[in-house]
Amino acid sequence: MTRLDTQAPRLDLPSLGVHALWAAWLAAVVMGWSGWALPVRVGAMGVGWAVMFWNYAVLHNHMHVPIAKPRALKWLVSRTLGLACGFAYRGYFIHHFNHHRFNDGEGDWGRRHPGEGALRYCVRWALTPWLWPFDTLKKVWSACRTRGQKVELLVDFAVVDGTLLALTLWQPSLGLSLLGTLIFTQACIHYLNLAAHLGSDARERTRLAVTSTSRFYNRWFFNAGYHQAHHLKPQVPWRELPEVTKALARQEQLPAELQTDVSPINPAWAAQVAARIGESPQARPGTST
């Protein structure tokens, strides 16, 4: 842990509030699904996609600096955040920290295949946990350091897969709709990885990730745009990332070509990612619009 980690609150209320929105959405869907007409169901899944996508920002931060520090609450939130995004939490935790160890370079389990385009990458990784998870599961299981982590991994798979199975057996249209929404959300989440590393180079510490200074994105997604700062200091609380980024700028550790004021969720940046991924290893991120 870094010194700044001690400044994180015991309860990160904004993050917990976003997660509570997901819990309220899920409860409303489960209780109301059978009585809803098709247009309402489709609308509910659309809202669910947005809430799940937003919860990924919370999940990501929670893996680095817990949004709830009391031990029992931290354990519970870990499980429910995994369910909110469709990831077995302990497995995704290990997979994500492999990403931080190798920074999207050689050895990163989630790295693109040579020449792989953005769409294929996102679809492949969205489907992998559901259709052919065995290679990744083997790596994650081997990386578990203790028996407790292996138990957690099994519990997390039971929570995610068991909930989906139970809902599908109870109301097939609900369970399958939720699964489809999770898969689409996960494809969007994997797109964020591409956008955050467009033009990065794991061999150079000044080029580990893209920095987006978009006020909208950083305000609503817990400073996720300050990705270079996050990769250099992954245990710094999200509130501190703007200041860390300013310090990196003073130290000339933020290359101009890896900075943008465009949000990763801006269609202009998404279009560049789709067009350039798989072509040039040094493609630049989005430019001002």
Side-chain angles (χ1 to χ4, degrees):
M1 292 290 180
T2 67
R3 180 180 62 83
L4 285 173
D5 182 34
T6 62
Q7 299 178 7
R10 284 177 60 79
L11 296 176
D12 186 337
L13 296 181
S15 299
L16 288 168
V18 170
H19 191 40
L21 284 177
W22 166 80
W25 170 84
L26 181 63
V29 168
V30 170
M31 291 187 295
W33 187 263
S34 61
W36 289 347
L38 180 60
V40 178
R41 292 180 174 184
V42 172
M45 287 299 117
V47 172
W49 163 77
V51 173
M52 292 173 192
F53 187 75
W54 202 3
N55 265 260
Y56 176 70
V58 179
L59 168 65
H60 174 263
N61 289 340
H62 179 68
M63 289 189 294
H64 291 278
V65 180
I67 65 172
K69 288 191 173 182
R71 186 173 180 179
L73 186 57
K74 175 185 173 182
W75 189 93
L76 177 62
V77 168
S78 298
R79 314 283 80 80
T80 56
L81 277 170
L83 178 60
C85 299
F87 297 125
Y89 176 81
R90 176 53 58 181
Y92 191 70
F93 181 100
I94 293 171
H95 196 280
H96 184 70
F97 277 86
N98 165 270
H99 169 65
H100 272 273
R101 179 182 178 186
F102 295 103
N103 300 295
D104 210 42
E106 293 290 341
D108 192 325
W109 297 336
R111 196 183 188 200
R112 288 185 302 112
H113 292 163
E116 185 176 37
L119 179 60
R120 181 181 177 85
Y121 171 86
C122 293
V123 171
R124 174 170 64 85
W125 269 111
L127 294 178
T128 291
W130 307 103
L131 299 182
W132 50 87
F134 306 106
D135 180 63
T136 302
L137 181 57
K138 181 179 178 181
K139 292 175 181 176
V140 168
W141 183 265
S142 299
C144 287
R145 296 179 179 179
T146 65
R147 177 183 294 182
Q149 289 185 351
K150 291 183 176 180
V151 171
E152 264 195 342
L153 182 60
L154 294 174
V155 169
D156 288 328
F157 273 111
V159 168
V160 175
D161 297 339
T163 298
L164 284 170
L165 179 60
L167 290 176
T168 301
L169 292 175
W170 176 49
Q171 295 193 63
S173 61
L174 171 58
L176 294 176
S177 295
L178 182 57
L179 174 60
T181 304
L182 281 171
I183 290 174
F184 181 69
T185 304
Q186 289 173 352
C188 296
I189 289 169
H190 290 299
Y191 156 77
L192 286 182
N193 181 58
L194 296 179
H197 293 277
L198 184 64
S200 67
D201 188 341
R203 298 167 296 181
E204 298 183 33
R205 284 185 60 79
T206 60
R207 305 184 63 89
L208 297 182
V210 175
T211 296
S212 168
T213 58
S214 165
R215 291 184 179 181
F216 170 82
Y217 185 65
N218 287 308
R219 178 176 182 179
W220 294 104
F221 290 87
F222 304 98
N223 290 330
Y226 299 107
H227 211 62
Q228 169 72 359
H230 172 67
H231 266 263
L232 288 174
K233 297 182 180 292
Q235 295 309 122
V236 168
W238 61 268
R239 292 173 176 83
E240 305 290 342
L241 290 174
E243 290 302 316
V244 174
T245 299
K246 290 178 182 178
L248 292 175
R250 291 193 295 268
Q251 298 164 11
E252 299 184 348
Q253 295 189 54
L254 288 179
E257 66 272 18
L258 290 179
Q259 298 181 58
T260 176
D261 60 3
V262 177
S263 164
I265 60 177
N266 186 307
W269 194 348
Q272 289 193 43
V273 171
R276 296 183 180 184
I277 287 293
E279 295 181 2
S280 170
Q282 297 298 330
R284 294 183 60 179
T287 53
S288 299
T289 56

